[in-house]
Amino acid sequence: MKTPNMLDAKKRNQNDIKYVKYNKEFDKFGNGKKFFVRTYGCQMNEHDSEKIKGMLKSVDFSEGTSVDDADIVILNTCAIRENAHDKVFGFLGVLKHLKQSKPDLLIGLCGCMAQEEVVVNDILNKYKYVDFVCGTHNLDNMLSIIKNKIDTDKRQIEVLSYEGDVVEGVPVVRDSKYSAWIDIIYGCDKFCTYCIVPYTRGTQRSRKHEDIVEEVKKLVSDGYKEVTLLGQNVNAYGKDLYKDYDLSNLLSDVSDTGIERIRFVTSHPWDFTDKMIDVIASRDNIMPYIHLPLQSGSNKILKLMNRKYTSEEYLKLYNSIREKVADSSVTTDIIVGFPGETEEDFLETLNLVEECKFDGAFTFAYSPRENTPAALMKDAIPEEVKMDRLHRLNEVVNKYSNLRNQKLLGTTVKCLVIGESEKDKNKVCGYTENMKLVNIEGPKSLIGNIVSVKITDTKSFSLDGEYIKE
Ligand code: SAH
Ligand code: SF4
Ligand code: F3S
């Protein structure tokens, strides 16, 4: 049994990181049994789930349609806010009942919550029906963990609190045939004071650029239209590995593969260079969409958050992106109710949002995370004040999303059609170059293609359009 330790998770041991190939050999011990993976959290977790599915299928497990027909259920969890925790523990409650009627059901937990001491202690003491726990740093070892559980019938808890290796070639089964996630950098060294990610995902580790470009080339030959480069802070790409190769170089090299669409998330404003903006602006296949988390418009709060930029610096970068990258859209993340946030601080955030007129924003009420510096800060903001600010912020955010969307009315845009529309099964849906969701009047045969669409109506969170034959 290996359990997590938050103090160890804080340490940074850059020198020990090894680059290795996935070379695990197993008998096909899945025997066709069915698995169900439920994913919480960010795109990196979505992609990790694709690797979990890939590993399971490689030993002859098959994907079930729901928890009810599954022999093994895996929860790939997120620890970013308290409500992410609550959802997972709620679902574990449901699984407890299921296991009473199906005693052979295997239940596993992995992802960021698995890296938290408090969570693993709770699982050890109170959730005895959870059969295995696997951390983020040893995800590639999940099959051994499951096999040990099956062979010995003993609970398996294996969580490392130091960075794992960068493992290439983990089997992957992608959810989409057109658009693919690609990890480019793991972990985070920013230590924003509110955030648990540097503890759950460890130090920054970039993949080698050759491996990334190879992966993209393979996807192009498999018919993929789009790749999204993933990292907690993609703009730090290469810093841990190279002297003179950064995200701008990687974007150019990925662009040269000829893949039709390239996206990347998330960009920390601190590491965004002019060179990066220039590459984004000059390449047609790099999409003009940037997610640029602001967090707060108050310099006092930004400092307490350890974000390392001022609101003035943010605005300068923001304007430079808007000026240089034609028809770009920019979205952001904002936290309200950080400890010590006064009404004046909050009004500074509102002012900056008024000034930037973002295409969209993910807005959050601050949620204290165990062992992070902000959790120990004085002047916690009462829940009702946080909710009031969140509500006021959302009104302004929605006003500008609407306005930005309205500007597209009557224009013709390119969309990558990804599937049936969720709102109306007779329509399809897709994304514009600048990441707007469009519900499209058009045949199902458009799915998987980049097509022209005329925008006929706009809402806060989506657009309506009709397919234009060329
Ligand atoms: N690496 C990304 C963010 C990943 S987490 C970045 O730095 O841009 C996604 C968002 O969750 C963050 O941008 C932040 O707005 C929010 N968040 C993180 N920790 C939080 C907390 N403790 N309480 C509330 N929101 C939080
Ligand atoms: Fe968290 Fe900050 Fe790292 Fe983003 S940059 S993952 S908010 S510590
Ligand atoms: Fe959540 Fe971990 Fe992603 S905490 S947001 S799943 S890196």
Side-chain angles (χ1 to χ4, degrees):
M1 184 164 83
K2 290 183 190 139
T3 55
N5 173 308
M6 287 305 245
L7 276 178
D8 285 345
K10 208 171 170 175
K11 292 183 192 146
R12 291 297 183 247
N13 319 295
Q14 210 85 34
N15 297 334
D16 301 336
I17 289 153
K18 289 190 226 39
Y19 286 75
V20 296
K21 281 250 177 303
Y22 183 86
N23 62 352
K24 301 209 160 58
E25 298 270 337
F26 294 95
D27 301 336
K28 305 258 175 212
F29 68 91
N31 297 323
K33 289 201 166 146
K34 293 208 165 93
F35 65 81
F36 182 78
V37 180
R38 176 164 284 192
T39 314
Y40 303 81
C42 62
Q43 294 98 328
M44 304 198 82
N45 249 21
E46 297 279 348
H47 187 40
D48 281 348
S49 289
E50 295 181 331
K51 294 181 194 169
I52 294 168
K53 292 176 192 176
M55 288 188 283
L56 289 170
K57 285 195 174 170
S58 76
V59 293
D60 205 23
F61 281 99
S62 63
E63 184 158 11
T65 48
S66 74
V67 281
D68 299 319
D69 74 347
D71 302 294
I72 172 165
V73 178
I74 297 178
L75 282 67
N76 190 10
T77 64
C78 170
I80 202 84
R81 282 170 291 274
E82 194 58 41
N83 59 2
H85 267 220
D86 295 346
K87 280 188 209 154
V88 168
F89 283 119
F91 189 49
L92 277 179
V94 173
L95 292 178
K96 182 180 185 180
H97 289 291
L98 195 63
K99 192 150 175 162
Q100 277 158 359
S101 58
K102 228 169 132 179
D104 289 339
L105 179 72
L106 285 184
I107 300 173
L109 185 140
C110 63
C112 286
M113 279 172 68
Q115 292 294 139
E116 289 185 277
E117 252 172 274
V118 273
V119 170
V120 173
N121 286 340
D122 260 7
I123 288 182
L124 281 171
N125 300 321
K126 296 192 220 148
Y127 295 83
K128 302 210 162 152
Y129 54 94
V130 173
D131 298 288
F132 64 93
V133 178
C134 170
T136 58
H137 299 310
N138 55 332
L139 188 76
D140 62 298
N141 204 32
M142 189 180 268
L143 289 181
S144 311
I145 294 173
I146 296 173
K147 190 161 188 324
N148 285 345
K149 164 66 201 169
I150 294 172
D151 291 349
T152 65
D153 202 28
K154 289 206 180 79
R155 284 180 107 179
Q156 303 290 317
I157 312 279
E158 193 179 293
V159 184
L160 313 177
S161 292
Y162 54 88
E163 287 67 50
D165 301 329
V166 173
V167 187
E168 290 297 336
V170 176
V172 55
V173 173
R174 296 184 187 274
D175 292 335
S176 160
K177 290 202 282 290
Y178 327 110
S179 180
W181 309 112
I182 299 197
D183 292 321
I184 64 166
I185 179 168
Y186 304 104
C188 181
D189 288 347
K190 288 284 185 276
F191 287 100
C192 302
T193 54
Y194 51 80
C195 184
I196 199 160
V197 171
Y199 308 85
T200 62
R201 294 276 172 169
T203 197
Q204 250 165 228
R205 285 109 67 214
S206 299
R207 284 179 69 200
K208 294 192 173 152
H209 59 80
E210 301 90 335
D211 292 330
I212 297 167
V213 171
E214 266 319 297
E215 190 173 348
V216 179
K217 282 185 180 157
K218 171 89 181 32
L219 288 164
V220 174
S221 70
D222 289 346
Y224 277 81
K225 299 279 174 16
E226 178 176 84
V227 292
T228 303
L229 310 181
L230 294 179
Q232 285 304 338
N233 173 19
V234 288
N235 295 53
Y237 176 78
K239 285 187 171 186
D240 53 308
L241 201 55
Y242 306 114
K243 271 209 193 70
D244 48 12
Y245 191 103
D246 65 12
L247 183 69
S248 61
N249 304 96
L250 182 69
L251 284 172
S252 304
D253 285 348
V254 173
S255 168
D256 287 342
T257 64
I259 184 99
E260 292 190 57
R261 288 183 160 199
I262 300 160
R263 302 186 183 281
F264 50 95
V265 277
T266 300
S267 296
H268 191 299
W270 185 14
D271 293 312
F272 224 125
T273 62
D274 285 343
K275 206 171 134 211
M276 290 173 194
I277 302 176
D278 292 340
V279 174
I280 297 162
S282 66
R283 300 283 186 136
D284 285 345
N285 59 353
I286 302 181
M287 294 297 101
Y289 164 68
I290 287 151
H291 184 61
L292 192 70
L294 165 68
Q295 313 300 1
S296 169
S298 149
N299 287 338
K300 180 190 97 190
I301 298 296
L302 284 171
K303 193 147 198 244
L304 285 172
M305 287 176 162
N306 193 30
R307 287 294 285 185
K308 303 234 163 74
Y309 53 82
T310 61
S311 61
E312 292 79 14
E313 285 162 342
Y314 182 93
L315 196 59
K316 190 162 167 261
L317 172 66
Y318 178 89
N319 286 333
S320 166
I321 292 171
R322 287 278 193 202
E323 265 163 40
K324 288 187 180 168
V325 186
D327 298 323
S328 60
S329 71
V330 183
T331 55
T332 198
D333 289 346
I334 297 169
I335 298 175
V336 297
F338 188 82
E341 185 189 69
T342 61
E343 176 66 15
E344 287 68 40
D345 293 319
F346 173 66
L347 290 177
E348 286 181 1
T349 301
L350 277 189
N351 283 340
L352 204 62
V353 173
E354 292 275 357
E355 183 136 9
C356 292
K357 307 178 176 53
F358 293 106
D359 287 88
F362 298 96
T363 56
F364 309 103
Y366 168 69
S367 166
R369 310 312 297 129
E370 193 129 336
N371 288 304
T372 59
L376 304 172
M377 287 180 188
K378 291 198 297 279
D379 301 324
I381 306 301
E383 218 45 43
E384 63 273 17
V385 176
K386 285 187 197 169
M387 288 307 139
D388 173 60
R389 288 182 188 164
L390 195 59
H391 183 72
R392 285 153 68 200
L393 174 62
N394 285 341
E395 286 202 339
V396 181
V397 163
N398 292 344
K399 178 173 84 184
Y400 288 112
S401 311
N402 247 321
L403 282 174
R404 292 263 180 207
N405 285 351
Q406 277 165 19
K407 285 198 176 144
L408 293 171
L409 193 64
T411 62
T412 299
V413 293
K414 292 272 181 213
C415 285
L416 170 57
V417 183
I418 54 160
E420 243 175 33
S421 159
E422 274 182 21
K423 289 228 170 99
D424 180 348
K425 296 283 169 223
N426 295 318
K427 291 184 174 181
V428 290
C429 69
Y431 283 93
T432 64
E433 297 202 327
N434 57 16
M435 202 61 186
K436 310 264 183 191
L437 175 65
V438 192
N439 291 304
I440 307 163
E441 200 99 44
K444 301 273 185 296
S445 57
L446 299 182
I447 295 171
N449 294 297
I450 295 173
V451 300
S452 292
V453 173
K454 183 163 183 199
I455 303 302
T456 53
D457 197 7
T458 68
K459 316 197 163 70
S460 280
F461 304 107
S462 66
L463 309 168
D464 288 335
E466 58 193 28
Y467 165 58
I468 307 277
K469 242 192 204 143
E470 286 185 329

